[in-house]
Every structure is written in structure tokens, then in C-alpha cells.
PDB file of all heavy atoms in Angstrom:
ATOM      1  N   GLY A 103      14.735  -1.335  16.559  1.00 96.00           N
ATOM      2  CA  GLY A 103      14.635  -0.918  15.245  1.00 96.00           C
ATOM      3  C   GLY A 103      14.155   0.484  14.962  1.00 96.00           C
ATOM      4  O   GLY A 103      13.770   1.209  15.995  1.00 96.00           O
ATOM      5  N   TYR A 104      14.162   0.898  13.766  1.00 96.00           N
ATOM      6  CA  TYR A 104      13.734   2.239  13.229  1.00 96.00           C
ATOM      7  C   TYR A 104      12.629   2.061  12.229  1.00 96.00           C
ATOM      8  O   TYR A 104      12.585   1.097  11.488  1.00 96.00           O
ATOM      9  CB  TYR A 104      14.870   2.955  12.680  1.00 96.00           C
ATOM     10  CG  TYR A 104      16.030   3.237  13.595  1.00 96.00           C
ATOM     11  CD1 TYR A 104      17.056   2.306  13.734  1.00 96.00           C
ATOM     12  CD2 TYR A 104      16.121   4.444  14.347  1.00 96.00           C
ATOM     13  CE1 TYR A 104      18.165   2.586  14.586  1.00 96.00           C
ATOM     14  CE2 TYR A 104      17.155   4.636  15.231  1.00 96.00           C
ATOM     15  CZ  TYR A 104      18.155   3.707  15.336  1.00 96.00           C
ATOM     16  OH  TYR A 104      19.169   3.965  16.217  1.00 96.00           O
ATOM     17  N   GLN A 105      11.757   2.989  12.257  1.00 96.00           N
ATOM     18  CA  GLN A 105      10.669   2.997  11.306  1.00 96.00           C
ATOM     19  C   GLN A 105      10.380   4.419  10.809  1.00 96.00           C
ATOM     20  O   GLN A 105      10.582   5.413  11.579  1.00 96.00           O
ATOM     21  CB  GLN A 105       9.352   2.406  11.845  1.00 96.00           C
ATOM     22  CG  GLN A 105       9.518   0.997  12.307  1.00 96.00           C
ATOM     23  CD  GLN A 105       8.155   0.271  12.708  1.00 96.00           C
ATOM     24  OE1 GLN A 105       7.196   0.529  12.008  1.00 96.00           O
ATOM     25  NE2 GLN A 105       8.180  -0.407  13.833  1.00 96.00           N
ATOM     26  N   GLY A 106       9.889   4.560   9.594  1.00 97.00           N
ATOM     27  CA  GLY A 106       9.479   5.856   9.100  1.00 97.00           C
ATOM     28  C   GLY A 106       8.261   5.728   8.214  1.00 97.00           C
ATOM     29  O   GLY A 106       8.018   4.601   7.589  1.00 97.00           O
ATOM     30  N   GLY A 107       7.446   6.730   8.126  1.00 97.00           N
ATOM     31  CA  GLY A 107       6.214   6.593   7.347  1.00 97.00           C
ATOM     32  C   GLY A 107       5.400   7.895   7.316  1.00 97.00           C
ATOM     33  O   GLY A 107       5.893   9.009   7.576  1.00 97.00           O
ATOM     34  N   ILE A 108       4.130   7.790   6.911  1.00 97.00           N
ATOM     35  CA  ILE A 108       3.168   8.811   6.747  1.00 97.00           C
ATOM     36  C   ILE A 108       1.914   8.565   7.583  1.00 97.00           C
ATOM     37  O   ILE A 108       1.648   7.497   7.954  1.00 97.00           O
ATOM     38  CB  ILE A 108       2.791   9.016   5.231  1.00 97.00           C
ATOM     39  CG1 ILE A 108       2.185   7.754   4.689  1.00 97.00           C
ATOM     40  CG2 ILE A 108       4.061   9.367   4.435  1.00 97.00           C
ATOM     41  CD1 ILE A 108       1.710   7.841   3.266  1.00 97.00           C
ATOM     42  N   TYR A 109       1.188   9.651   7.791  1.00 95.00           N
ATOM     43  CA  TYR A 109      -0.133   9.539   8.576  1.00 95.00           C
ATOM     44  C   TYR A 109      -1.160  10.567   8.037  1.00 95.00           C
ATOM     45  O   TYR A 109      -0.807  11.489   7.384  1.00 95.00           O
ATOM     46  CB  TYR A 109       0.122   9.738  10.101  1.00 95.00           C
ATOM     47  CG  TYR A 109       0.566  11.139  10.475  1.00 95.00           C
ATOM     48  CD1 TYR A 109      -0.371  12.122  10.701  1.00 95.00           C
ATOM     49  CD2 TYR A 109       1.938  11.383  10.623  1.00 95.00           C
ATOM     50  CE1 TYR A 109       0.062  13.348  11.136  1.00 95.00           C
ATOM     51  CE2 TYR A 109       2.359  12.598  11.005  1.00 95.00           C
ATOM     52  CZ  TYR A 109       1.415  13.589  11.313  1.00 95.00           C
ATOM     53  OH  TYR A 109       1.859  14.870  11.634  1.00 95.00           O
ATOM     54  N   GLY A 110      -2.342  10.279   8.305  1.00 95.00           N
ATOM     55  CA  GLY A 110      -3.393  11.165   7.986  1.00 95.00           C
ATOM     56  C   GLY A 110      -4.580  11.120   9.031  1.00 95.00           C
ATOM     57  O   GLY A 110      -4.878  10.049   9.507  1.00 95.00           O
ATOM     58  N   THR A 111      -5.128  12.221   9.377  1.00 92.00           N
ATOM     59  CA  THR A 111      -6.188  12.289  10.351  1.00 92.00           C
ATOM     60  C   THR A 111      -7.368  13.171   9.932  1.00 92.00           C
ATOM     61  O   THR A 111      -7.099  14.268   9.456  1.00 92.00           O
ATOM     62  CB  THR A 111      -5.678  12.784  11.727  1.00 92.00           C
ATOM     63  OG1 THR A 111      -4.520  11.994  12.130  1.00 92.00           O
ATOM     64  CG2 THR A 111      -6.643  12.612  12.808  1.00 92.00           C
ATOM     65  N   TRP A 112      -8.578  12.682  10.015  1.00 93.00           N
ATOM     66  CA  TRP A 112      -9.754  13.533   9.853  1.00 93.00           C
ATOM     67  C   TRP A 112     -10.518  13.722  11.165  1.00 93.00           C
ATOM     68  O   TRP A 112     -10.638  12.770  11.967  1.00 93.00           O
ATOM     69  CB  TRP A 112     -10.698  12.793   8.937  1.00 93.00           C
ATOM     70  CG  TRP A 112     -12.077  13.422   8.836  1.00 93.00           C
ATOM     71  CD1 TRP A 112     -12.411  14.568   8.208  1.00 93.00           C
ATOM     72  CD2 TRP A 112     -13.297  12.992   9.559  1.00 93.00           C
ATOM     73  NE1 TRP A 112     -13.739  14.922   8.415  1.00 93.00           N
ATOM     74  CE2 TRP A 112     -14.271  13.953   9.248  1.00 93.00           C
ATOM     75  CE3 TRP A 112     -13.532  11.991  10.367  1.00 93.00           C
ATOM     76  CZ2 TRP A 112     -15.507  13.792   9.727  1.00 93.00           C
ATOM     77  CZ3 TRP A 112     -14.879  11.837  10.927  1.00 93.00           C
ATOM     78  CH2 TRP A 112     -15.848  12.780  10.565  1.00 93.00           C
ATOM     79  N   TYR A 113     -10.690  15.015  11.419  1.00 91.00           N
ATOM     80  CA  TYR A 113     -11.495  15.464  12.576  1.00 91.00           C
ATOM     81  C   TYR A 113     -12.783  15.871  12.171  1.00 91.00           C
ATOM     82  O   TYR A 113     -12.942  16.782  11.276  1.00 91.00           O
ATOM     83  CB  TYR A 113     -10.749  16.596  13.385  1.00 91.00           C
ATOM     84  CG  TYR A 113      -9.435  16.214  13.921  1.00 91.00           C
ATOM     85  CD1 TYR A 113      -8.214  16.572  13.241  1.00 91.00           C
ATOM     86  CD2 TYR A 113      -9.257  15.435  15.110  1.00 91.00           C
ATOM     87  CE1 TYR A 113      -6.966  16.240  13.770  1.00 91.00           C
ATOM     88  CE2 TYR A 113      -8.056  15.117  15.648  1.00 91.00           C
ATOM     89  CZ  TYR A 113      -6.869  15.468  14.905  1.00 91.00           C
ATOM     90  OH  TYR A 113      -5.648  15.200  15.420  1.00 91.00           O
ATOM     91  N   GLY A 114     -13.877  15.458  12.869  1.00 89.00           N
ATOM     92  CA  GLY A 114     -15.251  15.781  12.406  1.00 89.00           C
ATOM     93  C   GLY A 114     -15.782  17.113  12.931  1.00 89.00           C
ATOM     94  O   GLY A 114     -16.779  17.593  12.422  1.00 89.00           O
ATOM     95  N   ARG A 115     -15.094  17.696  13.838  1.00 86.00           N
ATOM     96  CA  ARG A 115     -15.484  18.892  14.498  1.00 86.00           C
ATOM     97  C   ARG A 115     -14.344  19.967  14.451  1.00 86.00           C
ATOM     98  O   ARG A 115     -13.192  19.526  14.548  1.00 86.00           O
ATOM     99  CB  ARG A 115     -16.048  18.747  15.909  1.00 86.00           C
ATOM    100  CG  ARG A 115     -17.338  17.961  15.968  1.00 86.00           C
ATOM    101  CD  ARG A 115     -17.810  17.853  17.404  1.00 86.00           C
ATOM    102  NE  ARG A 115     -19.032  17.165  17.505  1.00 86.00           N
ATOM    103  CZ  ARG A 115     -19.577  16.847  18.660  1.00 86.00           C
ATOM    104  NH1 ARG A 115     -19.019  17.272  19.872  1.00 86.00           N
ATOM    105  NH2 ARG A 115     -20.766  16.224  18.750  1.00 86.00           N
ATOM    106  N   PRO A 116     -14.697  21.305  14.437  1.00 82.00           N
ATOM    107  CA  PRO A 116     -13.633  22.212  14.516  1.00 82.00           C
ATOM    108  C   PRO A 116     -12.873  22.151  15.893  1.00 82.00           C
ATOM    109  O   PRO A 116     -11.629  22.321  16.007  1.00 82.00           O
ATOM    110  CB  PRO A 116     -14.396  23.602  14.505  1.00 82.00           C
ATOM    111  CG  PRO A 116     -15.639  23.264  13.811  1.00 82.00           C
ATOM    112  CD  PRO A 116     -16.027  21.896  14.188  1.00 82.00           C
ATOM    113  N   ASP A 117     -13.563  21.811  16.985  1.00 77.00           N
ATOM    114  CA  ASP A 117     -12.972  21.511  18.280  1.00 77.00           C
ATOM    115  C   ASP A 117     -12.492  20.059  18.250  1.00 77.00           C
ATOM    116  O   ASP A 117     -13.290  19.125  18.428  1.00 77.00           O
ATOM    117  CB  ASP A 117     -13.953  21.673  19.385  1.00 77.00           C
ATOM    118  CG  ASP A 117     -13.292  21.255  20.779  1.00 77.00           C
ATOM    119  OD1 ASP A 117     -12.143  21.065  20.805  1.00 77.00           O
ATOM    120  OD2 ASP A 117     -14.172  21.123  21.707  1.00 77.00           O
ATOM    121  N   ILE A 118     -11.285  19.810  17.922  1.00 75.00           N
ATOM    122  CA  ILE A 118     -10.753  18.423  17.724  1.00 75.00           C
ATOM    123  C   ILE A 118     -10.567  17.691  19.023  1.00 75.00           C
ATOM    124  O   ILE A 118     -10.126  16.504  19.076  1.00 75.00           O
ATOM    125  CB  ILE A 118      -9.443  18.426  16.903  1.00 75.00           C
ATOM    126  CG1 ILE A 118      -8.328  19.123  17.641  1.00 75.00           C
ATOM    127  CG2 ILE A 118      -9.637  19.028  15.520  1.00 75.00           C
ATOM    128  CD1 ILE A 118      -7.057  19.034  17.025  1.00 75.00           C
ATOM    129  N   LEU A 119     -10.811  18.355  20.140  1.00 71.00           N
ATOM    130  CA  LEU A 119     -10.823  17.669  21.462  1.00 71.00           C
ATOM    131  C   LEU A 119     -11.934  16.776  21.669  1.00 71.00           C
ATOM    132  O   LEU A 119     -11.947  15.953  22.512  1.00 71.00           O
ATOM    133  CB  LEU A 119     -10.740  18.722  22.592  1.00 71.00           C
ATOM    134  CG  LEU A 119      -9.366  19.629  22.650  1.00 71.00           C
ATOM    135  CD1 LEU A 119      -9.537  20.575  23.761  1.00 71.00           C
ATOM    136  CD2 LEU A 119      -8.196  18.728  22.871  1.00 71.00           C
ATOM    137  N   SER A 120     -12.992  16.945  20.860  1.00 79.00           N
ATOM    138  CA  SER A 120     -14.236  16.133  21.015  1.00 79.00           C
ATOM    139  C   SER A 120     -14.770  15.812  19.623  1.00 79.00           C
ATOM    140  O   SER A 120     -14.459  16.486  18.621  1.00 79.00           O
ATOM    141  CB  SER A 120     -15.285  16.802  21.899  1.00 79.00           C
ATOM    142  OG  SER A 120     -15.706  18.013  21.224  1.00 79.00           O
ATOM    143  N   GLY A 121     -15.624  14.861  19.631  1.00 86.00           N
ATOM    144  CA  GLY A 121     -16.232  14.402  18.374  1.00 86.00           C
ATOM    145  C   GLY A 121     -15.590  13.280  17.635  1.00 86.00           C
ATOM    146  O   GLY A 121     -14.700  12.645  18.119  1.00 86.00           O
ATOM    147  N   PRO A 122     -16.102  12.978  16.450  1.00 90.00           N
ATOM    148  CA  PRO A 122     -15.647  11.793  15.726  1.00 90.00           C
ATOM    149  C   PRO A 122     -14.277  12.084  15.109  1.00 90.00           C
ATOM    150  O   PRO A 122     -13.962  13.187  14.745  1.00 90.00           O
ATOM    151  CB  PRO A 122     -16.650  11.517  14.634  1.00 90.00           C
ATOM    152  CG  PRO A 122     -17.263  12.902  14.443  1.00 90.00           C
ATOM    153  CD  PRO A 122     -17.269  13.631  15.743  1.00 90.00           C
ATOM    154  N   TYR A 123     -13.568  11.009  14.798  1.00 92.00           N
ATOM    155  CA  TYR A 123     -12.298  11.175  14.103  1.00 92.00           C
ATOM    156  C   TYR A 123     -11.961   9.839  13.425  1.00 92.00           C
ATOM    157  O   TYR A 123     -12.444   8.749  13.810  1.00 92.00           O
ATOM    158  CB  TYR A 123     -11.088  11.508  15.081  1.00 92.00           C
ATOM    159  CG  TYR A 123     -10.733  10.355  15.946  1.00 92.00           C
ATOM    160  CD1 TYR A 123      -9.803   9.387  15.625  1.00 92.00           C
ATOM    161  CD2 TYR A 123     -11.398  10.176  17.272  1.00 92.00           C
ATOM    162  CE1 TYR A 123      -9.462   8.310  16.474  1.00 92.00           C
ATOM    163  CE2 TYR A 123     -10.988   9.204  18.162  1.00 92.00           C
ATOM    164  CZ  TYR A 123     -10.078   8.270  17.739  1.00 92.00           C
ATOM    165  OH  TYR A 123      -9.752   7.244  18.538  1.00 92.00           O
ATOM    166  N   VAL A 124     -11.115   9.869  12.378  1.00 93.00           N
ATOM    167  CA  VAL A 124     -10.559   8.795  11.728  1.00 93.00           C
ATOM    168  C   VAL A 124      -9.091   8.989  11.542  1.00 93.00           C
ATOM    169  O   VAL A 124      -8.669   9.996  11.134  1.00 93.00           O
ATOM    170  CB  VAL A 124     -11.207   8.522  10.321  1.00 93.00           C
ATOM    171  CG1 VAL A 124     -10.558   7.313   9.611  1.00 93.00           C
ATOM    172  CG2 VAL A 124     -12.743   8.261  10.482  1.00 93.00           C
ATOM    173  N   ASP A 125      -8.280   7.966  11.973  1.00 92.00           N
ATOM    174  CA  ASP A 125      -6.848   8.114  11.950  1.00 92.00           C
ATOM    175  C   ASP A 125      -6.262   6.966  11.185  1.00 92.00           C
ATOM    176  O   ASP A 125      -6.635   5.773  11.419  1.00 92.00           O
ATOM    177  CB  ASP A 125      -6.273   8.161  13.356  1.00 92.00           C
ATOM    178  CG  ASP A 125      -4.820   8.546  13.393  1.00 92.00           C
ATOM    179  OD1 ASP A 125      -4.563   9.656  12.841  1.00 92.00           O
ATOM    180  OD2 ASP A 125      -4.009   7.768  13.957  1.00 92.00           O
ATOM    181  N   THR A 126      -5.302   7.229  10.257  1.00 94.00           N
ATOM    182  CA  THR A 126      -4.677   6.110   9.572  1.00 94.00           C
ATOM    183  C   THR A 126      -3.168   6.408   9.372  1.00 94.00           C
ATOM    184  O   THR A 126      -2.745   7.563   9.310  1.00 94.00           O
ATOM    185  CB  THR A 126      -5.292   5.887   8.088  1.00 94.00           C
ATOM    186  OG1 THR A 126      -4.753   4.777   7.499  1.00 94.00           O
ATOM    187  CG2 THR A 126      -5.162   7.106   7.215  1.00 94.00           C
ATOM    188  N   TRP A 127      -2.372   5.354   9.274  1.00 94.00           N
ATOM    189  CA  TRP A 127      -0.930   5.468   9.094  1.00 94.00           C
ATOM    190  C   TRP A 127      -0.296   4.302   8.477  1.00 94.00           C
ATOM    191  O   TRP A 127      -0.872   3.195   8.520  1.00 94.00           O
ATOM    192  CB  TRP A 127      -0.179   5.776  10.413  1.00 94.00           C
ATOM    193  CG  TRP A 127      -0.470   4.822  11.530  1.00 94.00           C
ATOM    194  CD1 TRP A 127      -1.388   5.071  12.538  1.00 94.00           C
ATOM    195  CD2 TRP A 127       0.126   3.580  11.779  1.00 94.00           C
ATOM    196  NE1 TRP A 127      -1.361   3.994  13.423  1.00 94.00           N
ATOM    197  CE2 TRP A 127      -0.492   3.073  13.017  1.00 94.00           C
ATOM    198  CE3 TRP A 127       1.139   2.887  11.137  1.00 94.00           C
ATOM    199  CZ2 TRP A 127      -0.083   1.802  13.519  1.00 94.00           C
ATOM    200  CZ3 TRP A 127       1.500   1.601  11.698  1.00 94.00           C
ATOM    201  CH2 TRP A 127       0.893   1.168  12.839  1.00 94.00           C
TER     202      TRP A 127
END
């Protein structure tokens, strides 16, 4: 099957390689 949609991500630090995050889709 195929799917399409949207997503959003919050990064808690300027360096997004570390620190807290919230991801939703």
C-alpha cells in the first residue's frame, strides 16, 4: 500500500543530535 501525511518535530536544543525531542505524525 501507499500512504501520505504530515509530521511535526520539536527539538529542545540547538544541537538536535542530543537533548529532548517530541515527534508526531
Side-chain angles (χ1 to χ4, degrees):
Y104 298 87
Q105 299 188 43
I108 58 175
Y109 64 87
T111 308
W112 168 78
Y113 298 100
R115 291 182 180 176
D117 173 15
I118 64 174
L119 294 176
S120 63
Y123 70 88
V124 176
D125 191 57
T126 186
W127 52 261

